[in-house]
């Protein structure tokens, strides 16, 4: 009885605040390290020049698409693997893990080909500046052709998560990010006898960090993950398992890929004004990740608590968890809002901002940050939908916010009022998202939460 039962008892009886901290804090710390890496990476790239920063910003949608496919596929593997272990079907669990790693490798092959064939057209469609084009093609080609690390790291870490070994996931994620941070300046500027590689050094530092994280996650799986045994001797892809993996993971892939489409569209709108505006948007994404990552960590801890207590018909604990997470998210976002409002010049200064970049970026950061408090509510409620089995609500809100509101609003506002008005598309979209999320939450509360005994 013991291990699983004790865990179940904790989920059902431990005070919610303490339980939420225990479940969320390791993931939040891991994600904060990832966010720090994102910021530091761009800070060093900005030291090359502003065009290098713009090139990395234009590359972001493709990198985000890679992560969307890697994470979405691993979500599907996680679900299939966990279910198999719950059923004590260890052979099926092993097959799920092996097929997941096969799909990760297949994804790498596809993006390696993309890196070789599509990178230049991808950038040419967005800019005709020869230096930005050169930087972008160099950076994204390396990131795509050597992307085996990102796909394998995410998949191997999900195998650890699905068997309850989240501490090892935190170690592999953090180590990969820290190695990236260390090697960024070394490879970009040629320190300690290394060659000065510029933008290529930034890409190689990213890839090197991912491979180190992969090797560490592989070691943890082999050494400590005794619930699964991975051997590819006689392996053949299992169509049924792959179909099940994607039936679960595809909605996650679509939700995250929508962000790539939105970013690509915004970059296209902004660069028509000036490439500096695109650099500002890229900097915003790096900075906001440091505010948003703790909320995503909170989500990861919240979802199993809500799912467990919903299954146990403990309405009060479900409601208490939701309320506490919403309040926590709003407080975190209010802190982020204050920082963006009070010291935008300091934030942009970390990226060696030119006077033009400050002129565009200061009002941009202040305007966009008005959406933060709304976003905190929406992120939590979206995960509540997923925890209660209504992930389609999250998908609908995400599509409407990013594709049906942000992009059209940005295009119209920019055309009518100019660049400064473009940034208002994001707060407008977040207000729409709040209204839709509130509507769906009331609906799901009446149908599922209110009926609990």
């Amino acid at each position: 009885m013991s291990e699983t039962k004790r865990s179940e008892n904790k989920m059902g009886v431990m005070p919610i605040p303490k339980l939420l901290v225990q479940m969320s804090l390791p993931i939040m710390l891991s994600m904060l390290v990832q966010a720090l890496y994102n910021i530091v990476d761009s800070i060093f790239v900005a030291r090359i020049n502003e065009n290098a920063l713009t090139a990395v910003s234009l590359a972001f949608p493709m990198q985000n698409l890679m992560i969307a496919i890697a994470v979405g596929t691993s979500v599907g593997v996680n679900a299939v693997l966990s279910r198999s272990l719950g059923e004590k079907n260890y052979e099926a669990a092993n097959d799920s893990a092996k097929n997941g790693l096969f799909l990760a490798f297949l994804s790498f092959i596809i993006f390696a080909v993309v890196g070789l064939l599509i990178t230049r057209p991808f950038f040419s469609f967005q800019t005709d500046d020869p230096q930005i084009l050169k930087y972008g093609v160099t950076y994204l080609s390396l990131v795509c052709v050597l992307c085996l690390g990102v796909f394998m790291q995410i998949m191997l870490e999900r195998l650890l998560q699905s068997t309850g070994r989240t501490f090892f996931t935190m170690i592999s994620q953090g180590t990969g990010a820290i190695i990236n941070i260390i090697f960024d300046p070394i490879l970009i500027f040629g320190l300690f006898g290394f060659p000065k590689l510029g933008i290529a050094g930034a890409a190689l530092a990213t890839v090197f960090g991912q491979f180190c994280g992969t090797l560490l996650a592989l070691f943890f799986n082999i050494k400590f993950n005794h619930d699964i045994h991975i051997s590819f001797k006689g392996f053949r892809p299992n169509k049924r398992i792959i179909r099940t993996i994607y039936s679960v993971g595809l909605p996650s892939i679509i939700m995250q890929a929508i962000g790539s489409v939105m970013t690509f569209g915004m970059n296209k709108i902004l660069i028509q004004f000036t490439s500096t505006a695109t650099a500002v948007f890229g900097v915003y994404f790096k900075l906001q990740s440091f505010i948003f990552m703790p909320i995503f960590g909170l989500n990861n801890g919240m979802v199993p608590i809500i799912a467990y207590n919903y299954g146990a018909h403990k309405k009060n604990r479900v409601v208490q968890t939701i309320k506490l997470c919403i309040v926590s998210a709003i407080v975190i976002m209010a802190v982020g809002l204050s920082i963006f409002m009070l010291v935008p010049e300091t934030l942009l200064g970390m990226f060696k901002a030119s006077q033009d970049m400050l002129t565009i970026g200061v009002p941009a950061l202040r305007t966009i940050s008005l959406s933060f408090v709304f976003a905190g509510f929406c992120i939590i409620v979206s995960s509540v939908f997923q925890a209660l089995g209504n992930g389609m609500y999250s998908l609908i809100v995400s599509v409407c916010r990013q594709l049906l509101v942000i992009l059209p609003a940005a295009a119209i506002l920019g055309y009518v009022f100019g660049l400064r008005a473009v940034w208002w598309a994001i707060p407008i979209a977040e207000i729409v998202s709040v209204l839709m999320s509130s509507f769906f939450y009331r609906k799901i509360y009446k149908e599922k939460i209110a009926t609990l005994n």
Side-chain angles (χ1 to χ4, degrees):
M1 168 182 196
S2 53
E3 194 71 31
T4 304
K5 185 65 178 175
R6 282 198 299 270
S7 175
E8 291 175 351
N9 284 341
K10 178 180 76 172
M11 296 283 280
V13 299
M14 181 180 285
I16 293 297
K18 182 179 179 181
L19 180 61
L20 197 58
V21 169
Q22 281 193 9
M23 297 288 288
S24 302
L25 190 58
I27 305 171
M28 291 172 73
L29 293 174
S30 175
M31 288 186 165
L32 279 171
V33 172
Q34 290 288 318
L36 181 63
Y37 138 66
N38 285 333
I39 292 173
V40 173
D41 189 60
S42 290
I43 287 173
F44 286 125
V45 168
R47 294 299 186 270
I48 301 173
N49 58 44
E50 191 176 291
N51 280 346
L53 184 60
T54 301
V56 171
S57 299
L58 293 176
F60 179 74
M62 186 66 74
Q63 288 181 281
N64 193 56
L65 182 61
M66 272 194 284
I67 293 171
I69 292 173
V71 171
T73 304
S74 62
V75 165
V77 173
N78 199 341
V80 177
L81 178 55
S82 297
R83 185 169 66 242
S84 299
L85 288 175
E87 296 168 349
K88 309 298 182 186
N89 189 344
Y90 299 108
E91 183 178 351
N94 290 334
D95 286 342
S96 301
K98 288 185 284 188
N99 278 276
L101 290 168
F102 167 74
L103 292 173
F105 183 78
L106 197 62
S107 300
F108 151 66
I109 295 296
I110 292 170
F111 274 94
V113 173
V114 167
L116 291 171
L117 301 180
I118 301 177
T119 300
R120 183 168 291 275
F122 174 78
F123 275 95
S124 297
F125 183 74
Q126 298 182 84
T127 181
D128 55 5
D129 185 299
Q131 190 178 52
I132 296 175
L133 186 63
K134 180 183 176 182
Y135 282 148
V137 171
T138 299
Y139 180 84
L140 191 58
S141 295
L142 287 169
V143 168
C144 286
V145 171
L146 300 174
C147 68
L148 178 63
V150 68
F151 283 104
M152 286 298 176
Q153 181 183 0
I154 290 173
M155 184 59 67
L156 288 165
E157 287 172 350
R158 284 290 179 166
L159 296 184
L160 292 167
Q161 286 181 6
S162 60
T163 56
R165 294 168 174 86
T166 54
F167 176 76
F168 295 120
T169 298
M170 181 180 71
I171 298 299
S172 63
Q173 281 183 348
T175 302
I178 291 169
I179 287 173
N180 190 342
I181 291 171
I182 293 171
F183 275 88
D184 257 329
I186 292 174
L187 296 180
I188 291 173
F189 305 115
L191 306 179
F192 308 116
F194 282 83
K196 183 179 180 180
L197 299 175
I199 195 78
L204 291 173
T206 296
V207 169
F208 184 54
Q210 291 165 350
F211 272 103
C212 289
T214 297
L215 292 175
L216 202 52
L218 179 62
F219 169 75
F220 288 147
N221 271 288
I222 293 171
K223 183 72 175 176
F224 301 106
N225 199 352
H226 305 303
D227 291 312
I228 55 176
H229 175 69
I230 302 171
S231 172
F232 283 91
K233 185 178 180 180
F235 168 76
R236 290 184 179 180
N238 186 312
K239 292 181 180 178
R240 181 186 60 79
I241 291 177
I242 291 173
R243 194 162 46 243
T244 306
I245 287 171
Y246 281 119
S247 70
V248 175
L250 190 59
S252 177
I253 292 174
I254 293 172
M255 280 186 65
Q256 295 194 65
I258 287 169
S260 294
V261 176
M262 184 276 289
T263 308
F264 181 84
M266 281 292 286
N267 284 339
K268 185 69 176 169
I269 291 168
L270 292 168
I271 207 165
Q272 292 174 356
F273 292 97
T274 168
S275 62
T276 303
T278 307
V280 167
F281 192 55
V283 166
Y284 156 71
F285 260 104
K286 303 295 184 178
L287 291 170
Q288 62 94 24
S289 68
F290 206 73
I291 309 298
F292 280 68
M293 284 299 184
I295 311 245
F296 294 138
L298 192 66
N299 273 354
N300 276 271
M302 175 193 74
V303 168
I305 297 173
I306 290 177
Y308 175 86
N309 286 284
Y310 175 73
H313 290 266
K314 296 185 177 182
K315 175 184 174 182
N316 290 339
R317 290 179 64 82
V318 171
V319 173
Q320 186 184 359
T321 303
I322 294 171
K323 286 182 177 178
L324 182 58
C325 287
I326 288 175
V327 171
S328 301
I330 290 174
V331 169
I332 292 170
M333 286 302 202
V335 172
L337 170 62
S338 301
I339 294 171
F340 272 59
M341 281 290 183
L342 295 174
V343 291
E345 298 91 349
T346 304
L347 296 175
L348 292 166
M350 294 190 300
F351 300 86
K352 204 178 179 182
S354 63
Q355 188 55 51
D356 283 347
M357 192 172 180
L358 287 171
T359 301
I360 294 171
V362 168
L365 292 187
R366 284 178 171 153
T367 301
I368 295 173
S369 65
L370 294 172
S371 66
F372 281 5
V373 177
F374 302 120
F377 171 83
C378 293
I379 292 169
I380 295 297
V381 171
S382 175
S383 292
V384 171
F385 298 155
Q386 293 173 339
L388 297 178
N390 292 79
M392 186 56 65
Y393 291 166
S394 302
L395 181 59
I396 292 170
V397 173
S398 183
V399 169
C400 290
R401 176 186 171 273
Q402 300 193 80
L403 299 186
L404 302 184
V405 181
I406 287 182
L407 291 182
I412 294 168
L413 289 170
Y415 179 77
V416 176
F417 301 107
L419 175 59
R420 288 177 73 101
V422 171
W423 313 113
W424 283 98
I426 296 175
I428 291 170
E430 214 59 68
I431 291 171
V432 172
S433 182
V434 166
L435 295 174
M436 293 183 67
S437 297
S438 299
F439 171 78
F440 285 132
Y441 179 73
R442 283 196 296 270
K443 180 177 171 62
I444 206 171
Y445 184 89
K446 290 178 181 178
E447 293 175 354
K448 292 195 169 181
I449 299 175
T451 59
L452 295 176
N453 296 325

